[in-house]
Amino acid sequence: QVRLVESGGGSVQAGGSQRLSCVASGATDNNFCMGWFREAPGKEREEVASIYTGDGSTYYKNSVKGRFTISQDNAKHTLYLHMDILGPDDTAMYYCAAAIIEPFDCASGSWSANFWGQGTQVTVSS
């Protein structure tokens, strides 16, 4: 079992930046696909970005490329999402997720998570 705890959400004005953190605990010795998903009111949950912990390879949803950066600190078992140039469309509940899958599946943009955090709200005002 892996426990994921997010932090760092809040309110920000359009054009601003925010960093989310996700601390993993439990069976963290494996290589994982870890990622950030978001769910806006009335919309389906979507993957925003992912990283394979074994080699650091990343995936980004097209709409966040160049604005969001996913990174990891393996020593701290922590996943980050740095978000720049935020807009109202980025308003959502953001979830940290993890799965034990192959790297090429992690980069697919369509993997299913085995473990989820409780979510942290990001609200961007115009």
Side-chain angles (χ1 to χ4, degrees):
Q1 285 291 332
V2 175
R3 182 169 182 250
L4 304 171
V5 179
E6 303 100 331
S7 61
S11 297
V12 63
Q13 288 195 326
S17 299
Q18 204 159 47
R19 189 179 81 161
L20 306 181
S21 300
C22 170
V23 178
S25 60
T28 56
D29 289 341
N30 296 299
N31 286 323
F32 284 89
C33 177
M34 295 195 71
W36 292 93
F37 290 69
R38 66 185 181 187
E39 186 172 343
K43 295 186 178 180
E44 291 186 355
R45 189 173 297 189
E46 62 180 6
E47 181 182 355
V48 175
S50 64
I51 188 168
Y52 188 71
T53 62
D55 60 12
S57 55
T58 58
Y59 160 87
Y60 293 95
K61 177 180 172 62
N62 282 339
S63 63
V64 307
K65 284 182 181 177
R67 300 190 299 122
F68 290 13
T69 302
I70 189 169
S71 62
Q72 59 180 344
D73 185 331
N74 286 340
K76 296 181 179 179
H77 302 298
T78 302
L79 180 73
Y80 302 100
L81 184 68
H82 187 90
M83 304 181 289
D84 289 322
I85 319 175
L86 285 162
D89 287 347
D90 297 313
T91 294
M93 183 72 79
Y94 283 72
Y95 297 90
C96 177
I100 302 176
I101 57 177
E102 296 297 324
F104 60 85
D105 289 323
C106 186
S108 68
S110 61
W111 55 281
S112 297
N114 301 120
F115 309 102
W116 292 94
Q118 81 286 354
T120 184
Q121 178 68 37
V122 173
T123 301
V124 184
S125 57
S126 57

